[in-house]
Amino acid sequence: MKDIPKVLPKQPVRFMDRLRAYIRAKGLAYKTEQTYCTWIIDFIRFNKMQRPESLTSHDVDRYLGHIACKRYYSANTQKTALNALAFLYNQFLGRPLGTLEFQHSRRPQTLPTVFSHEEAARVLGKLEDTPWLCASLMYGSGLRVMEAVRLRVQDVDFANNCVVAREAKGRKWRRTLLPSTLVVPLRQQVEHALALHGQDMEEGYGEVYLPDALAKKYPNAPKEPAWQYVFPASHRSIDPRSGVERRHHIGEQQIQRHVKRAIRESEIHKKAGCHTFRHSFATELLRAGADIRNIQELLGHAGLETTQIYTHVVSIEQRGVKSPMDV
C-alpha cells in the first residue's frame, strides 16, 4: 500500500516529519508529498547535509544548475525540483527565494509515446480480468492508473454514461467518458466488489478508507456500498494510519506489471506503460476531430498548454484539417 501516507508523530520534531505534516495540512496529494520530499532530501544531500534554513537562493541556483548540467535532467524534471524547493522556502520556511538565476536545462522537450489504435487493441488483447478492465479505462476514459484503481462504486455513473475521477491529481474532480463497451464488464465488477463487501460485513468488517476526514463527518459512510472500491484488494489488511483492518483497493504496481508484460508479448518496441494508454486516449480523440478544450477537460489538465502537446503528435492531416481548395 505505497499510496498510504506514513504515520507521523503527534508532535513532529524532525525536520522532514514537520515538513510532511505541513504538506498534509495544506491538503496536497500524497504523490505530491512524496515528490517534494524526494527532491528536498536530494537538495540537502547535495549541500552536504546542511540545514535548509542556513542555505540561500545561491545554493538553490547551484543545485538546479547541477541537476540540469551534470545529471542531464529534462526541463520538466528541473521544474519539478524547482517547485519542491519553492514550496520549501516560500511556504514552509517562510523565506521567499526571490529571483533565481540558475542555468536552465537544455534538453529538448520530448513528445509523449502513444499507441496506434491497433497497438492498443493488441496490448489489451494480452490482458484479462481486472488488469484488462483497468487498462481499458485508461484507454477508453483517459484515466491515470491510480485513478482507475481508486474508483469507488459511486464514481461509475451508468445512468449518465460517465466516470468521475474523484481522487485525481491535484485533488480536482472531473467527469470523463464511459465507453459503452465497458458498461457490462464494469457492472459485473461492481457486483463482485459489493459481494466481497457483503462478506466483509458478515465477518464484522466492511469499512473502507475515506479521504479528508469524511469518516468523521459521515460516520456511517465507510460501510456504505457507494464508497466501496470498484477494484478491491484480494484480502484485508491493517491500515497503518488508523490500525483498522479494512480492504484497500488493488495496487497500481499490480496493473503496471501486467501492462508491461502485455506490451512485451505484443512485440511493441516503444518506451510504453500504463500512462501510454492515457496519451493514446487524447491522440485518438484529436484524430477524431474533438475540440482541444474538450480533451483538456476530459484529461483534467489545469492549462491548455499541457494538452496542446498532443497536437505535435497527431499530424495536421490526421486531425482532419483540409486546405480550403480541397473542401
Side-chain angles (χ1 to χ4, degrees):
M1 297 189 290
K2 292 185 178 180
D3 63 314
I4 295 180
K6 297 179 180 178
V7 178
L8 298 176
K10 291 184 178 180
Q11 297 295 330
V13 175
R14 299 174 60 187
F15 180 84
M16 291 307 299
D17 286 343
R18 289 190 288 112
L19 174 62
R20 288 182 182 275
Y22 182 81
I23 291 174
R24 294 177 193 181
K26 286 287 185 179
L28 301 183
Y30 185 51
K31 283 278 189 181
T32 303
E33 175 186 327
Q34 292 173 303
T35 300
Y36 280 8
C37 289
T38 297
W39 283 111
I40 290 167
I41 290 171
D42 191 65
F43 170 68
I44 292 171
R45 287 173 176 165
F46 173 78
N47 286 286
K48 300 180 180 179
M49 306 306 290
Q50 294 184 66
R51 296 185 64 82
E53 300 95 319
S54 66
L55 301 173
T56 66
S57 58
H58 173 68
D59 298 300
V60 174
D61 282 333
R62 284 195 312 109
Y63 174 71
L64 293 175
H66 170 79
I67 64 174
C69 301
K70 301 297 183 182
R71 299 187 192 173
Y72 305 106
Y73 285 162
S74 68
N76 283 342
T77 303
Q78 188 186 42
K79 183 179 179 181
T80 302
L82 171 60
N83 290 341
L85 297 178
F87 180 88
L88 170 66
Y89 282 96
N90 297 346
Q91 297 193 49
F92 179 62
L93 295 177
R95 292 176 48 192
L97 288 171
T99 303
L100 296 174
E101 299 178 349
F102 60 90
Q103 187 166 346
H104 291 265
S105 173
R106 295 180 179 177
R107 275 188 58 187
Q109 186 179 34
T110 58
L111 295 178
T113 301
V114 299
F115 294 131
S116 67
H117 179 68
E118 293 73 18
E119 288 174 332
R122 276 162 53 196
V123 176
L124 291 173
K126 299 290 184 181
L127 297 168
E128 295 179 341
D129 303 325
T130 296
W132 172 83
L133 189 49
C134 284
S136 296
L137 283 167
M138 288 181 261
Y139 182 51
S141 304
L143 297 183
R144 300 176 177 90
V145 60
M146 185 53 77
E147 293 169 350
V149 300
R150 281 179 174 173
L151 279 178
R152 312 268 184 163
V153 169
Q154 62 184 329
D155 297 337
V156 185
D157 190 343
F158 294 108
N160 292 302
N161 294 315
C162 68
V163 174
V164 179
R166 186 185 307 273
E167 297 180 49
K169 186 176 181 180
R171 297 199 172 186
K172 297 177 182 177
W173 290 22
R174 75 179 190 280
R175 289 177 179 269
T176 186
L177 307 175
L178 171 57
S180 58
T181 53
L182 297 185
V183 169
V184 171
L186 269 174
R187 284 190 184 278
Q188 293 172 344
Q189 181 62 35
V190 168
E191 290 174 2
H192 166 71
L194 293 182
L196 206 55
H197 173 58
Q199 292 178 17
D200 288 341
M201 291 286 285
E202 291 177 2
E203 295 173 11
Y205 300 96
E207 284 192 6
V208 71
Y209 167 75
L210 295 189
D212 304 322
L214 285 173
K216 290 184 178 180
K217 188 175 182 179
Y218 305 108
N220 296 324
K223 290 188 176 182
E224 291 178 358
W227 284 102
Q228 304 310 306
Y229 290 115
V230 173
F231 299 106
S234 58
H235 60 278
R236 296 189 299 267
S237 56
I238 301 297
D239 190 329
R241 293 163 294 197
S242 60
V244 175
E245 182 175 337
R246 52 167 59 113
R247 193 178 298 273
H248 201 53
H249 56 70
I250 59 172
E252 60 178 321
Q253 299 84 7
Q254 180 179 340
I255 305 302
Q256 289 168 337
R257 285 195 298 269
H258 281 279
V259 169
K260 281 288 188 182
R261 183 166 59 245
I263 292 171
R264 287 196 303 270
E265 292 176 355
S266 301
E267 297 184 347
I268 296 173
H269 307 299
K270 294 180 176 180
K271 186 181 179 182
C274 285
H275 211 67
T276 309
F277 283 118
R278 177 173 158 87
H279 291 320
S280 305
F281 166 81
T283 54
E284 288 300 319
L285 289 182
L286 200 55
R287 287 190 181 103
D291 181 75
I292 189 77
R293 290 197 176 274
N294 287 334
I295 298 174
Q296 175 194 357
E297 183 178 343
L298 292 172
L299 291 173
H301 288 161
L304 188 61
E305 64 278 1
T306 305
T307 316
Q308 285 176 327
I309 193 171
Y310 297 111
T311 63
H312 300 291
V313 179
V314 179
S315 67
I316 292 176
E317 294 79 7
Q318 288 177 309
R319 278 180 267 156
V321 179
K322 293 184 178 180
S323 166
M325 291 290 292
D326 297 329
V327 175

